[in-house]
Amino acid sequence: MKYVEVYGSICCPRDYKYDHHLMSYINDFEKTNDVSINSSYKLSLGKEGEAAYFLSLENLSQNLQNKFINDRLKTLQTNDESAINHLNNPITLKQALKPWKNKTVNNLIKI
């Protein structure tokens, strides 16, 4: 299963997800569940912190995949349709990059 989270500006207006950043959530999840999410990438999209994070949860059991996603949505307390759509319809990294025509898989930074 793939998970994608996209961040807007760190200011002007500030994307609410920065208050509960994905990287902190991953660290806490790994410690709490004694697992490692070792396939994660970041793609910078702008100069004000805009970025997309791509995670593969394939090394987690189905129960832990569901827990990761459900707990993350609770953390964000979101009804964001784009986030829900990503979870219900996982996509490949290539598909996720299509909206940013000048970005390729080579632009991804392993995190």
Side-chain angles (χ1 to χ4, degrees):
M1 179 175 288
K2 310 275 191 262
Y3 179 80
V4 178
E5 196 165 291
V6 180
Y7 286 69
S9 179
I10 198 160
C11 69
C12 319
R14 181 180 174 86
D15 187 331
Y16 71 96
K17 290 186 289 292
Y18 281 105
D19 296 331
H20 304 283
H21 202 283
L22 179 61
M23 297 311 299
S24 298
Y25 177 76
I26 291 171
N27 290 334
D28 292 344
F29 185 87
E30 288 177 330
K31 288 177 189 172
T32 301
N33 296 285
D34 194 27
V35 295
S36 177
I37 299 172
N38 53 14
S39 186
S40 53
Y41 298 89
K42 176 184 176 184
L43 178 65
S44 294
L45 301 170
K47 295 180 180 179
E48 295 178 349
E50 300 92 342
Y53 292 85
F54 303 93
L55 307 178
S56 174
L57 303 177
E58 293 168 355
N59 66 324
L60 302 179
S61 69
Q62 186 64 47
N63 286 343
L64 281 178
Q65 288 178 17
N66 291 337
K67 179 176 177 42
F68 180 91
I69 292 167
N70 291 329
D71 289 355
R72 181 61 180 161
L73 289 178
K74 286 178 192 169
T75 299
L76 294 175
Q77 298 178 356
T78 184
N79 291 322
D80 183 340
E81 289 298 321
S82 66
I84 293 167
N85 184 49
H86 281 302
L87 300 176
N88 292 331
N89 302 294
I91 58 174
T92 66
L93 289 178
K94 255 186 166 174
Q95 290 169 314
L97 290 172
K98 279 184 182 179
W100 297 285
K101 291 179 177 43
N102 62 336
K103 303 292 183 180
T104 68
V105 173
N106 294 335
N107 296 113
L108 294 174
I109 299 168
K110 178 91 170 128
I111 52 174

